[in-house]
Amino acid sequence: MLQRSIVLGAVIALTVGAIVTMMVFAARSATIANPASPGNLARGTSSTTLRHNNFELWNVTGVSARELAHDITSGQPFGGVSAARGPDLPDLPEYPPRHIPVSIITVLAGRKASEPPAISFVENGLVFNNVFMMRQDGNNGETDALPARLNFWVRVHLKLEHDGKQYDCGAMLIGQGSYRTGTNDRTIQNNWWIGGKSCKKWSGSGIYCQCDNAILFFGSVESTHAMRVSVDPSFVFPLPPFVPVS
């Protein structure tokens, strides 16, 4: 009798534990991600949760990203685009000893990959060398020339401040897709794409863009959601002309 009571108690405890675990997982899945974090890891199927999707620009002290157009997987929510100065990065080995200013473009949107947003992304007049893909595994810009599936994309009028100077980069596209981190791994890594008609990809290191008064380089930092911005007056290869946004 005592043995049967012990077994019954163990079964009840396991059942209650499983129910609590399911409730905690559901509660976390229903919350909106913290805007201060990239929130790029997901496992399993996508839901229709509205999320803060952050795209970071390092060395940028101010940013404006007025939305011009967007596309998103059917059935997914979209809440618009915002841009603001974020917290500085601490000292990094490859930089002089100073904190790195960061500005963040945030897209409020659901995450579910499909083909239609990828098709319309390219229909903005982009070809393979106008677009750069960010990955964390060193395959930046090299694995895929153009996106095959995207969660969403936005076209924005991008203006930014770098080293005390203002730059107008016209209409730029940023989109979020995803890839599996390993052959047998179900973990999905969400990653960003960036491009524009006045831009040219430079191998796997980044993308050059002709802005109103300078050529800016958006360089890879081997991240899925961040790029390092710099001015490169020595770039001599021809770029498509800057096209102002009315």
Side-chain angles (χ1 to χ4, degrees):
M1 185 69 177
L2 178 61
Q3 185 177 4
R4 184 179 299 175
S5 299
I6 292 173
V7 172
L8 181 60
V11 171
I12 293 173
L14 287 172
T15 303
V16 171
I19 293 172
V20 170
T21 301
M22 291 174 64
M23 290 175 64
V24 171
F25 180 81
R28 290 181 61 185
S29 300
T31 58
I32 296 176
N34 187 336
S37 67
N40 284 323
L41 282 177
R43 184 177 291 276
T45 57
S46 300
S47 67
T48 55
T49 302
L50 190 67
R51 301 177 184 272
H52 288 80
N53 302 281
N54 295 333
F55 177 69
E56 297 180 6
L57 295 171
W58 296 2
N59 284 342
V60 173
T61 52
V63 65
S64 169
R66 178 171 61 89
E67 183 194 341
L68 303 173
H70 76 271
D71 195 8
I72 189 168
T73 295
S74 177
Q76 291 293 307
F78 183 82
V81 182
S82 61
R85 176 73 183 268
D88 289 357
L89 291 175
D91 297 343
L92 298 177
E94 63 268 31
Y95 285 88
R98 63 183 178 87
H99 283 210
I100 310 304
V102 177
S103 290
I104 301 174
I105 299 172
T106 300
V107 181
L108 276 175
R111 297 184 193 142
K112 184 177 181 182
S114 65
E115 293 181 4
I119 293 171
S120 60
F121 181 86
V122 176
E123 287 175 347
N124 280 274
L126 302 180
V127 294
F128 73 95
N129 61 348
N130 294 135
V131 180
F132 186 81
M133 177 189 64
M134 290 172 274
R135 285 177 64 131
Q136 206 166 10
D137 56 9
N139 290 322
N140 294 293
E142 294 296 322
T143 302
D144 297 302
L146 290 169
R149 293 162 61 86
L150 287 176
N151 300 334
F152 59 81
W153 60 259
V154 294
R155 186 168 73 244
V156 298
H157 182 189
L158 181 63
K159 298 179 180 180
L160 54 85
E161 181 181 279
H162 167 73
D163 267 353
K165 295 183 179 179
Q166 307 286 332
Y167 299 93
D168 183 343
C169 294
M172 298 277 290
L173 281 99
I174 55 173
Q176 188 190 79
S178 60
Y179 65 94
R180 295 192 182 277
T181 57
T183 305
N184 299 316
D185 193 348
R186 290 176 59 84
T187 300
I188 302 297
Q189 188 80 24
N190 292 297
N191 66 315
W192 290 85
W193 297 70
I194 182 172
K197 292 182 179 179
S198 300
C199 299
K200 185 173 184 179
K201 179 171 67 176
W202 192 251
S203 184
S205 61
I207 188 168
Y208 287 91
C209 294
Q210 178 67 64
C211 299
D212 59 343
N213 54 357
I215 294 174
L216 295 189
F217 181 62
F218 296 80
S220 166
V221 291
E222 293 195 0
S223 165
T224 59
H225 61 276
M227 302 198 83
R228 181 177 57 232
V229 176
S230 59
V231 177
D232 192 345
S234 63
F235 188 74
V236 295
F237 292 92
L239 285 174
F242 168 73
V243 179
V245 177
S246 56

